[in-house]
Each structure stands twice: as C-alpha cells, then as structure tokens.
Amino acid sequence: MAKQPPAERYIPNALKFAFGGLSGMAATCVVQPLDLIKTRMQLGGGNKSSFTVGKEIIAKEGLLAIYSGLSAGLLRQATYTTTRLGVFNYLFDTYKETNKTAPGFGIKTLMGVAAGSIGAFVGTPAEVALIRMTADGRLPKEQRRNYKNVADALLRIIREEGVLKLWRGATPTVARAMVVNAAQLGTYSQAREMFLALVPDGIGLHFCASMVSGLITTIASMPVDIIKTRIQNAAKGQSQVTVVTDLLRKEGVLSLWKGFLPYYARLGPHTVLTFIFLEQMNAAYFKYTAQ
C-alpha cells in the first residue's frame, strides 16, 4: 500500500496572533533608535542627515535618549502587529483551506489591506503616544509633555484632551497601514516564492524577501507616514487640514518623500527582523510540537 503524504500542519490561530506581536516587539527593540531619528527628521523640516540627527540627540539628551518611547513602540507592536499579522495569516489559511490552493498576488494584496486597516485602528492609541514621546526631546523644556511611559501618556491624553484624542490621526494611520500592508505583506509573500528557486529556505531567504518588501513599502508609504506623524504631534486645537496644508505650502509636495534613506533605514530592518523572528517562531513551533 502506498504511503499517504503527511497532513499539512497548521499553527493555531491564537498562536498566529501571538507570534505576530512577539516578532514585531523583538524587531522594535533593535530598531527603536532608527524610529526615533525618523520621527525627528519628519518633524524637523531641515536637511540634516540621519547621522547628524542621531549625534545631536545623544549630545543633548544622553545616550539612553535613543530609546525614548520604547514602551510605546512595544505596545504599538503588541496591538498593531499582533492584529495585522494574525488577521493576514488567518485570511491566508482560510482561503487556502477553502480553495485548496494558495491565493494569488492580487488576493494577497487585498488581504494585506484588510489586515493592515484593522491592525492600525487597534494600534492608533499606542501610535499617538509613540509619536509624542519620540518627538518630545526636540521641544524646549517648558513645552515638553514629559510622559513617563506609555501608560502615563495614554492616561494623560484621556485626562487632558479626552478619550477620542487617542485616535487622533486615525484616518491617515489607517490609510498608511493599508498602503504598508498591501505592499509589505503581499510583496513579502510573493518575493519569498520568487527567491525560493534561488535561495534555500532559511534566514537568507527571509532576508532577501524582506529587503525587497521593505523597499517597495518605503516608496509607497512615505507620504501618508509623514502626514500621519505631523498630525499626531500637532498642538492641541490645530486641525488636521491645517497641518497638511501648512506642510505642503511651506515645504512643497516633494517633502512628502523627504528623508527616504532614514525612513528605509528603519522600515527595512524592521521588516527584515519581524519576518525573520516570525519565521523562526513558526519553525520552532513545528519542531517542538507533536504531529
């Protein structure tokens, strides 16, 4: 009698969400300084290099300042990344089970958009706290918010501005996430399939696919990311329309793509590390759990 092929193994849905969040949090611990520099450059309006901005932060605020906002960054990953990767993997597996074949690139892109928009809405409060905490050091001392940690930031925003302000800039945040996830999740999966014929499955394959995914995502998402950052850091009472029109009038349309290299320096490694950590967690689950 011929041997039956082994049944395809699946990771439980709850673990998909958990692995997604943990992989994003692990990546954030590595790239938080780059996220800080990226935010400062988006808010600064000048032409300083990322190296200059980094040196100024250390000189004026101390070495530990490069990890300003880490607690908010971790909460953002625990909410946003957990949700988006979990939803994407759930949709991917559901489609595969229903149609007995993997989804094509177009379907993957739509799944990425859906997963990103849901994740972004869930993660917006942490995003607001992150932007404010990473931006605080560039302000004069008397104007700083001086949030102690992400919990303090969220509680003070609710107390001083109202609970709805936790979702300030939710529209551009969701729009950015739709663009990022359409590009990142769809292109990563597609690039992984393309590189699989050239690179053995493993960290090397994950790195190559992630670098391609990160590059395309950076090009597509920079304009909405800059708008999102400016809105979430705006002073109380300043409307979103005013923030956007001031940006375009004073700095021009091309400012929406200003700082491409520092943006990719953050997004590229984070994309690489997130997917590498995620793939390793998936592999460990299959290795150490019974059939």
Side-chain angles (χ1 to χ4, degrees):
M1 180 181 291
K3 276 189 175 181
Q4 291 294 323
E8 189 168 357
R9 301 177 66 189
Y10 292 97
I11 297 174
N13 288 329
L15 277 182
K16 289 175 188 174
F17 281 75
F19 285 172
L22 289 172
S23 62
M25 293 171 76
T28 292
C29 289
V30 179
V31 304
Q32 180 65 21
L34 296 172
D35 202 20
L36 172 68
I37 292 171
K38 184 263 302 184
T39 299
R40 294 286 181 93
M41 293 185 74
Q42 287 183 337
L43 295 172
N47 294 310
K48 296 176 182 177
S49 71
S50 54
F51 295 104
T52 300
V53 172
K55 286 193 293 185
E56 288 181 352
I57 291 171
I58 293 172
K60 295 178 181 178
E61 303 169 46
L63 183 61
L64 293 180
I66 62 173
Y67 272 92
S68 296
L70 178 60
S71 62
L74 292 175
L75 179 62
R76 179 181 180 274
Q77 295 302 321
T79 52
Y80 167 63
T81 301
T82 297
T83 304
R84 76 182 181 109
L85 289 180
V87 169
F88 181 81
N89 287 328
Y90 173 77
L91 293 175
F92 187 96
D93 287 345
T94 300
Y95 182 96
K96 195 173 179 181
E97 289 177 21
T98 303
N99 297 279
K100 309 304 180 185
T101 184
F105 180 72
I107 299 297
K108 290 174 190 170
T109 301
L110 292 176
M111 289 177 178
V113 170
S117 58
I118 295 170
F121 187 79
V122 172
T124 295
E127 182 89 31
V128 173
L130 175 63
I131 293 300
R132 292 187 176 192
M133 291 174 75
T134 52
D136 217 29
R138 62 183 288 272
L139 298 172
K141 288 187 177 181
E142 65 276 7
Q143 295 179 23
R144 293 178 186 175
R145 296 179 174 100
N146 293 317
Y147 297 138
K148 297 174 183 176
N149 50 52
V150 66
D152 180 52
L154 296 176
L155 290 172
R156 281 183 52 191
I157 291 170
I158 293 172
R159 185 170 64 249
E160 297 169 9
E161 305 173 47
V163 68
L164 292 181
K165 290 301 180 182
L166 291 176
W167 277 270
R168 182 178 179 85
T171 299
T173 300
V174 170
R176 172 192 175 274
M178 292 172 72
V179 173
V180 165
N181 286 276
Q184 188 182 69
L185 296 176
T187 56
Y188 175 80
S189 183
Q190 196 71 15
R192 191 182 189 282
E193 291 178 12
M194 293 172 61
F195 278 114
L196 192 56
L198 305 171
V199 183
D201 194 359
I203 291 180
L205 173 66
H206 309 155
F207 177 82
C208 292
S210 296
M211 288 303 291
V212 171
S213 175
L215 178 62
I216 295 172
T217 303
T218 298
I219 295 170
S221 66
M222 277 194 70
V224 283
D225 186 73
I226 291 174
I227 290 172
K228 173 197 73 67
T229 299
R230 295 290 181 98
I231 288 174
Q232 289 177 330
N233 190 58
K236 185 177 179 180
Q238 191 174 11
S239 72
Q240 297 186 21
V241 174
T242 301
V243 172
V244 176
T245 53
D246 283 351
L247 169 65
L248 295 176
R249 188 179 71 253
K250 295 177 182 177
E251 301 177 44
V253 174
L254 292 181
S255 66
L256 297 176
W257 284 270
K258 183 173 61 180
F260 178 87
L261 288 178
Y263 185 95
Y264 181 60
R266 183 266 173 192
L267 182 62
H270 194 276
T271 302
V272 170
L273 291 167
T274 297
F275 281 116
I276 285 176
F277 285 130
L278 181 60
E279 296 269 15
Q280 295 306 304
M281 289 179 191
N282 290 342
Y285 173 81
F286 290 132
K287 181 178 179 180
Y288 294 111
T289 57
Q291 177 75 18

